[in-house]
Coordinates of all heavy atoms in Angstrom, one line a residue:
M11 N 0.8 -1.2 0.0 CA 0.0 0.0 0.0 C 0.9 1.3 0.0 O 1.9 1.3 0.6 CB -0.9 0.0 1.2 CG -2.2 -0.5 1.0 SD -3.3 0.1 2.4 CE -4.8 -0.5 1.7
S12 N 0.3 2.3 -0.6 CA 1.0 3.6 -0.7 C 1.0 4.3 0.6 O 0.1 4.1 1.4 CB 0.3 4.4 -1.7 OG 0.8 5.7 -1.7
Q13 N 2.1 5.0 0.9 CA 2.1 5.9 2.0 C 2.0 7.4 1.6 O 2.5 8.2 2.3 CB 3.4 5.7 2.8 CG 3.6 4.2 3.3 CD 2.5 3.8 4.2 OE1 2.2 4.6 5.2 NE2 2.0 2.7 4.1
T14 N 1.4 7.6 0.5 CA 1.3 9.0 0.0 C 0.2 9.8 0.7 O -0.9 9.3 1.0 CB 0.8 8.9 -1.5 OG1 1.8 8.1 -2.2 CG2 0.7 10.3 -2.1
M15 N 0.6 11.0 1.1 CA -0.4 11.9 1.7 C -0.5 13.1 0.8 O 0.5 13.7 0.4 CB 0.0 12.4 3.1 CG -1.0 13.3 3.7 SD -0.6 14.0 5.2 CE 0.5 15.3 4.7
I16 N -1.7 13.5 0.4 CA -2.0 14.6 -0.4 C -2.8 15.6 0.4 O -3.8 15.4 0.9 CB -2.9 14.2 -1.6 CG1 -2.3 13.0 -2.4 CG2 -3.2 15.4 -2.5 CD1 -0.9 13.4 -3.0
E17 N -2.2 16.8 0.5 CA -2.8 17.9 1.2 C -3.7 18.6 0.2 O -3.2 19.0 -0.9 CB -1.8 18.9 1.8 CG -1.2 18.3 3.1 CD -0.5 19.4 3.8 OE1 0.3 20.1 3.2 OE2 -0.7 19.5 5.1
I18 N -4.9 18.8 0.5 CA -5.8 19.5 -0.5 C -6.5 20.7 0.1 O -6.6 20.8 1.4 CB -6.9 18.5 -1.0 CG1 -7.7 17.9 0.2 CG2 -6.3 17.4 -1.8 CD1 -8.8 16.9 -0.3
R19 N -7.0 21.5 -0.7 CA -7.7 22.7 -0.3 C -9.2 22.4 -0.3 O -9.6 21.5 -1.0 CB -7.4 23.9 -1.2 CG -5.9 24.3 -1.1 CD -5.7 25.6 -1.9 NE -4.3 26.1 -1.8 CZ -3.9 26.8 -0.7 NH1 -4.6 27.1 0.3 NH2 -2.6 27.2 -0.7
A20 N -9.9 23.2 0.4 CA -11.4 23.0 0.4 C -12.0 23.1 -1.0 O -12.9 22.4 -1.3 CB -12.0 24.0 1.4
K21 N -11.4 24.0 -1.8 CA -11.9 24.2 -3.2 C -11.7 22.9 -4.0 O -12.3 22.8 -5.1 CB -11.2 25.4 -3.8 CG -9.8 25.2 -4.2 CD -9.2 26.4 -4.9 CE -7.7 26.1 -5.2 NZ -7.2 27.1 -6.2
D22 N -10.8 22.0 -3.6 CA -10.6 20.8 -4.4 C -11.6 19.7 -4.1 O -11.7 18.7 -4.8 CB -9.2 20.2 -4.0 CG -8.1 21.1 -4.4 OD1 -8.2 21.7 -5.5 OD2 -7.0 21.1 -3.7
L23 N -12.4 19.9 -3.1 CA -13.5 19.0 -2.7 C -14.7 19.2 -3.6 O -15.0 20.3 -4.1 CB -13.9 19.2 -1.3 CG -12.8 18.9 -0.2 CD1 -13.4 19.3 1.2 CD2 -12.3 17.5 -0.3
N24 N -15.5 18.2 -3.8 CA -16.7 18.3 -4.6 C -17.8 18.9 -3.7 O -17.6 19.2 -2.5 CB -17.1 17.0 -5.3 CG -17.5 16.0 -4.3 OD1 -17.8 16.2 -3.1 ND2 -17.5 14.7 -4.7
R25 N -19.0 19.1 -4.3 CA -20.1 19.8 -3.5 C -20.5 19.0 -2.2 O -21.0 19.6 -1.3 CB -21.3 19.9 -4.4 CG -21.1 21.0 -5.4 CD -22.3 21.1 -6.3 NE -22.1 22.1 -7.3 CZ -23.1 23.0 -7.6 NH1 -24.3 22.9 -7.2 NH2 -22.8 23.9 -8.5
A26 N -20.2 17.7 -2.2 CA -20.6 16.9 -1.0 C -19.4 16.9 0.0 O -19.6 16.3 1.1 CB -21.0 15.5 -1.4
G27 N -18.3 17.4 -0.4 CA -17.2 17.5 0.6 C -16.2 16.3 0.4 O -15.5 16.0 1.4
G28 N -16.1 15.8 -0.8 CA -15.2 14.6 -0.9 C -14.4 14.7 -2.2 O -14.5 15.7 -3.0
V29 N -13.6 13.6 -2.4 CA -12.8 13.5 -3.6 C -13.0 12.0 -4.0 O -13.4 11.2 -3.3 CB -11.3 13.8 -3.3 CG1 -11.1 15.2 -3.0 CG2 -10.8 12.9 -2.2
F30 N -12.5 11.8 -5.3 CA -12.5 10.4 -5.8 C -11.1 10.0 -5.9 O -10.2 10.8 -6.2 CB -13.2 10.4 -7.2 CG -14.7 10.5 -7.1 CD1 -15.3 11.7 -7.3 CD2 -15.5 9.4 -6.8 CE1 -16.7 11.8 -7.3 CE2 -16.8 9.5 -6.8 CZ -17.4 10.7 -7.0
C31 N -10.8 8.7 -5.7 CA -9.5 8.1 -5.9 C -9.7 6.9 -6.8 O -10.7 6.2 -6.6 CB -8.9 7.7 -4.5 SG -7.2 7.2 -4.6
P32 N -8.9 6.8 -7.8 CA -7.7 7.5 -8.1 C -8.1 8.9 -8.5 O -9.2 9.2 -9.1 CB -7.1 6.7 -9.3 CG -8.1 5.8 -9.8 CD -9.2 5.7 -8.7
S33 N -7.1 9.8 -8.3 CA -7.4 11.2 -8.5 C -6.3 11.9 -9.3 O -5.1 11.6 -9.2 CB -7.4 11.9 -7.1 OG -7.4 13.3 -7.2
P34 N -6.7 12.8 -10.2 CA -5.7 13.6 -10.9 C -4.8 14.4 -10.0 O -3.7 14.8 -10.4 CB -6.5 14.5 -11.8 CG -7.9 14.4 -11.4 CD -8.1 13.2 -10.5
L35 N -5.2 14.7 -8.8 CA -4.4 15.4 -7.8 C -3.2 14.6 -7.4 O -2.2 15.1 -7.0 CB -5.2 15.7 -6.5 CG -6.4 16.6 -6.7 CD1 -7.3 16.7 -5.4 CD2 -6.0 18.0 -7.1
V36 N -3.2 13.3 -7.6 CA -2.1 12.4 -7.3 C -1.4 11.9 -8.5 O -0.4 11.2 -8.5 CB -2.7 11.1 -6.5 CG1 -1.5 10.3 -6.0 CG2 -3.6 11.5 -5.4
H37 N -1.9 12.4 -9.7 CA -1.3 12.1 -11.0 C -1.3 10.6 -11.3 O -0.4 10.0 -11.8 CB 0.2 12.6 -11.1 CG 0.3 14.0 -10.7 ND1 -0.2 15.0 -11.5 CD2 0.9 14.7 -9.7 CE1 0.0 16.2 -11.0 NE2 0.7 16.0 -9.9
M38 N -2.5 10.0 -10.9 CA -2.7 8.6 -11.2 C -3.3 8.5 -12.5 O -4.2 9.2 -12.9 CB -3.6 7.9 -10.2 CG -3.1 7.8 -8.8 SD -4.3 7.0 -7.7 CE -3.5 6.9 -6.2
Q39 N -2.9 7.5 -13.3 CA -3.6 7.2 -14.5 C -4.8 6.2 -14.2 O -4.6 5.2 -13.6 CB -2.6 6.4 -15.5 CG -1.4 7.3 -15.8 CD -1.8 8.5 -16.7 OE1 -2.7 8.4 -17.5 NE2 -1.1 9.6 -16.4
T40 N -6.0 6.7 -14.5 CA -7.1 5.9 -14.1 C -7.3 4.5 -14.9 O -7.9 3.7 -14.4 CB -8.4 6.7 -14.3 OG1 -8.5 7.1 -15.7 CG2 -8.5 7.9 -13.4
W41 N -6.6 4.4 -16.0 CA -6.7 3.2 -16.8 C -5.9 2.0 -16.2 O -6.2 0.9 -16.5 CB -6.3 3.4 -18.2 CG -4.9 3.8 -18.4 CD1 -4.4 5.1 -18.4 CD2 -3.7 3.0 -18.5 NE1 -3.1 5.1 -18.6 CE2 -2.6 3.8 -18.6 CE3 -3.5 1.6 -18.5 CZ2 -1.3 3.4 -18.7 CZ3 -2.2 1.1 -18.6 CH2 -1.1 2.0 -18.8
N42 N -5.0 2.3 -15.3 CA -4.2 1.2 -14.7 C -4.1 1.1 -13.2 O -3.1 0.7 -12.6 CB -2.7 1.2 -15.3 CG -1.9 2.4 -14.8 OD1 -2.5 3.3 -14.2 ND2 -0.6 2.4 -15.0
T43 N -5.1 1.6 -12.6 CA -5.2 1.7 -11.1 C -6.4 0.9 -10.6 O -7.0 0.2 -11.3 CB -5.1 3.1 -10.6 OG1 -6.3 3.8 -11.1 CG2 -3.9 3.8 -10.9
H44 N -6.7 1.2 -9.4 CA -7.8 0.5 -8.7 C -9.2 1.1 -9.1 O -9.2 2.2 -9.8 CB -7.7 0.6 -7.2 CG -7.6 2.0 -6.6 ND1 -8.7 2.8 -6.6 CD2 -6.6 2.6 -6.1 CE1 -8.3 3.9 -6.0 NE2 -7.0 3.9 -5.7
P45 N -10.3 0.5 -8.7 CA -11.6 1.0 -9.0 C -11.8 2.4 -8.4 O -11.2 2.7 -7.4 CB -12.6 0.0 -8.4 CG -11.8 -1.2 -8.3 CD -10.4 -0.8 -8.1
K46 N -12.6 3.2 -9.0 CA -12.9 4.6 -8.5 C -13.7 4.5 -7.2 O -14.7 3.8 -7.2 CB -13.6 5.4 -9.6 CG -13.8 6.8 -9.3 CD -14.5 7.5 -10.5 CE -14.6 9.0 -10.3 NZ -15.2 9.6 -11.5
V47 N -13.3 5.2 -6.2 CA -14.0 5.2 -4.9 C -14.2 6.7 -4.4 O -13.3 7.5 -4.7 CB -13.3 4.4 -3.8 CG1 -13.3 2.9 -4.1 CG2 -11.9 4.8 -3.5
Y48 N -15.2 6.9 -3.7 CA -15.5 8.2 -3.2 C -15.0 8.3 -1.7 O -15.2 7.3 -1.0 CB -17.0 8.5 -3.2 CG -17.4 9.8 -2.5 CD1 -17.2 11.0 -3.2 CD2 -17.9 9.8 -1.2 CE1 -17.5 12.2 -2.6 CE2 -18.3 11.0 -0.6 CZ -18.1 12.2 -1.3 OH -18.4 13.4 -0.7
L49 N -14.3 9.3 -1.4 CA -13.8 9.5 0.0 C -14.3 10.8 0.6 O -14.2 11.9 0.0 CB -12.3 9.6 -0.1 CG -11.6 8.3 -0.7 CD1 -10.1 8.6 -0.9 CD2 -11.8 7.1 0.1
D50 N -15.0 10.7 1.7 CA -15.6 11.9 2.4 C -14.5 12.5 3.2 O -14.1 12.1 4.3 CB -16.7 11.4 3.2 CG -17.4 12.6 4.0 OD1 -17.0 13.7 3.8 OD2 -18.3 12.3 4.7
V51 N -14.0 13.6 2.7 CA -12.9 14.3 3.4 C -13.5 15.4 4.4 O -12.9 15.6 5.5 CB -11.9 15.0 2.4 CG1 -10.9 15.8 3.1 CG2 -11.3 13.9 1.5
A52 N -14.5 16.0 4.0 CA -15.1 17.1 4.8 C -15.5 16.7 6.2 O -15.4 17.5 7.2 CB -16.3 17.8 4.1
H53 N -16.0 15.5 6.4 CA -16.5 15.1 7.7 C -15.5 15.1 8.8 O -15.7 15.6 9.9 CB -17.1 13.7 7.5 CG -17.8 13.2 8.8 ND1 -19.0 13.7 9.2 CD2 -17.5 12.2 9.7 CE1 -19.3 13.1 10.3 NE2 -18.4 12.2 10.6
T54 N -14.3 14.6 8.5 CA -13.2 14.5 9.5 C -12.0 15.3 9.2 O -11.1 15.3 10.0 CB -12.8 13.0 9.8 OG1 -12.3 12.5 8.6 CG2 -14.0 12.2 10.2
G55 N -11.9 15.8 8.0 CA -10.7 16.6 7.6 C -9.7 15.7 6.8 O -8.7 16.2 6.3
E56 N -10.0 14.4 6.8 CA -9.1 13.5 6.0 C -9.8 12.2 5.7 O -10.8 11.9 6.4 CB -7.8 13.2 6.8 CG -8.0 12.5 8.1 CD -6.7 12.3 8.8 OE1 -5.9 13.2 8.9 OE2 -6.5 11.2 9.4
A57 N -9.3 11.5 4.7 CA -9.8 10.2 4.4 C -8.8 9.4 3.7 O -7.9 10.0 2.9 CB -11.1 10.3 3.4
K58 N -8.7 8.1 3.9 CA -7.7 7.2 3.3 C -8.3 6.3 2.4 O -9.4 5.6 2.7 CB -7.0 6.5 4.5 CG -5.8 5.7 4.0 CD -5.1 5.1 5.2 CE -3.8 4.4 4.8 NZ -3.1 3.9 6.0
C59 N -7.7 6.1 1.2 CA -8.2 5.2 0.2 C -8.0 3.8 0.6 O -6.9 3.4 1.0 CB -7.5 5.5 -1.2 SG -8.1 4.3 -2.4
P60 N -9.1 3.0 0.6 CA -9.0 1.6 1.0 C -8.2 0.7 0.1 O -7.7 -0.4 0.4 CB -10.4 1.1 1.2 CG -11.2 1.9 0.2 CD -10.5 3.3 0.2
Y61 N -8.0 1.2 -1.2 CA -7.3 0.4 -2.2 C -5.8 0.7 -2.2 O -5.0 -0.2 -2.1 CB -7.8 0.6 -3.6 CG -9.2 0.0 -3.8 CD1 -10.3 0.8 -3.8 CD2 -9.3 -1.4 -4.1 CE1 -11.6 0.2 -4.0 CE2 -10.5 -1.9 -4.3 CZ -11.7 -1.2 -4.3 OH -12.9 -1.8 -4.5
C62 N -5.4 2.0 -2.3 CA -4.0 2.3 -2.5 C -3.4 2.9 -1.2 O -2.2 3.1 -1.2 CB -3.8 3.2 -3.7 SG -4.5 4.9 -3.5
G63 N -4.2 3.3 -0.3 CA -3.7 3.8 1.0 C -3.4 5.3 0.9 O -2.9 5.9 1.9
T64 N -3.6 6.0 -0.2 CA -3.4 7.4 -0.3 C -4.2 8.1 0.7 O -5.4 7.9 0.8 CB -3.6 7.9 -1.7 OG1 -2.8 7.2 -2.6 CG2 -3.4 9.4 -1.8
L65 N -3.6 9.0 1.5 CA -4.4 9.8 2.5 C -4.6 11.2 1.9 O -3.7 11.9 1.5 CB -3.6 9.9 3.8 CG -4.2 10.8 4.9 CD1 -5.5 10.2 5.4 CD2 -3.2 11.0 6.0
F66 N -5.9 11.6 1.8 CA -6.3 12.9 1.4 C -6.6 13.7 2.6 O -7.5 13.3 3.4 CB -7.5 12.8 0.5 CG -7.2 12.2 -0.8 CD1 -7.3 10.8 -0.9 CD2 -6.8 12.9 -1.9 CE1 -7.0 10.2 -2.1 CE2 -6.6 12.3 -3.2 CZ -6.7 10.9 -3.3
K67 N -5.9 14.8 2.9 CA -6.1 15.6 4.1 C -6.2 17.1 3.7 O -5.5 17.6 2.9 CB -4.8 15.4 5.0 CG -4.9 16.1 6.3 CD -3.7 15.7 7.1 CE -3.8 16.5 8.4 NZ -2.7 16.2 9.3
L68 N -7.2 17.7 4.4 CA -7.3 19.2 4.2 C -6.1 19.9 4.8 O -5.6 19.5 5.9 CB -8.6 19.7 4.9 CG -9.9 19.5 4.2 CD1 -11.0 20.0 5.1 CD2 -9.9 20.2 2.9
K69 N -5.6 20.9 4.1 CA -4.5 21.6 4.5 C -4.9 22.4 5.8 O -6.0 22.7 6.0 CB -4.0 22.7 3.5 CG -3.3 22.1 2.3 CD -2.8 23.1 1.4 CE -2.0 22.5 0.3 NZ -1.2 23.4 -0.5
D70 N -3.9 22.6 6.7 CA -4.1 23.3 7.9 C -4.8 24.7 7.6 O -4.4 25.4 6.7 CB -2.8 23.6 8.7 CG -2.3 22.3 9.3 OD1 -3.1 21.3 9.5 OD2 -1.1 22.3 9.6
G71 N -5.9 25.0 8.4 CA -6.6 26.2 8.2 C -7.7 26.2 7.2 O -8.5 27.1 7.1
E72 N -7.8 25.1 6.4 CA -8.8 25.0 5.4 C -10.1 24.4 6.0 O -10.0 23.5 6.9 CB -8.4 24.0 4.3 CG -7.3 24.6 3.4 CD -7.8 25.6 2.4 OE1 -8.9 25.4 1.8 OE2 -7.1 26.6 2.2
H73 N -11.2 24.9 5.7 CA -12.5 24.5 6.2 C -13.5 24.3 5.0 O -13.5 25.2 4.2 CB -13.1 25.5 7.2 CG -12.2 25.6 8.4 ND1 -12.0 24.7 9.4 CD2 -11.3 26.6 8.7 CE1 -11.1 25.1 10.3 NE2 -10.7 26.3 9.8
F74 N -14.3 23.3 5.0 CA -15.2 23.0 4.0 C -16.6 23.5 4.4 O -17.0 23.3 5.5 CB -15.3 21.5 3.7 CG -16.4 21.2 2.7 CD1 -16.2 21.5 1.3 CD2 -17.6 20.7 3.1 CE1 -17.2 21.2 0.4 CE2 -18.6 20.4 2.2 CZ -18.4 20.7 0.8
T75 N -17.2 24.3 3.6 CA -18.6 24.7 3.8 C -19.4 24.3 2.5 O -18.9 24.4 1.4 CB -18.8 26.2 4.0 OG1 -18.2 26.9 2.8 CG2 -18.1 26.7 5.2
A76 N -20.5 23.7 2.7 CA -21.3 23.2 1.6 C -21.6 24.3 0.6 O -21.9 25.5 1.0 CB -22.6 22.6 2.1
H77 N -21.6 24.0 -0.7 CA -21.9 25.0 -1.7 C -23.4 25.1 -1.9 O -24.1 24.3 -1.9 CB -21.2 24.6 -3.0 CG -19.8 24.5 -2.9 ND1 -18.9 25.5 -3.1 CD2 -19.0 23.5 -2.5 CE1 -17.7 25.1 -2.9 NE2 -17.7 23.9 -2.6

């Protein structure tokens, strides 16, 4: 499993407060990686992909508000 941590800004989250992995933010090629999964980052400020282990974490000081 990957030990990659990606710090993201609130503007990188979708309207529901999450991201999808694999993600272009990690420069993953979607054709040769794991299935696409939704990760809810807004709820706790971070989420870890169950397939590759990439941790998506809001940068310090960033706060998500629903659009």
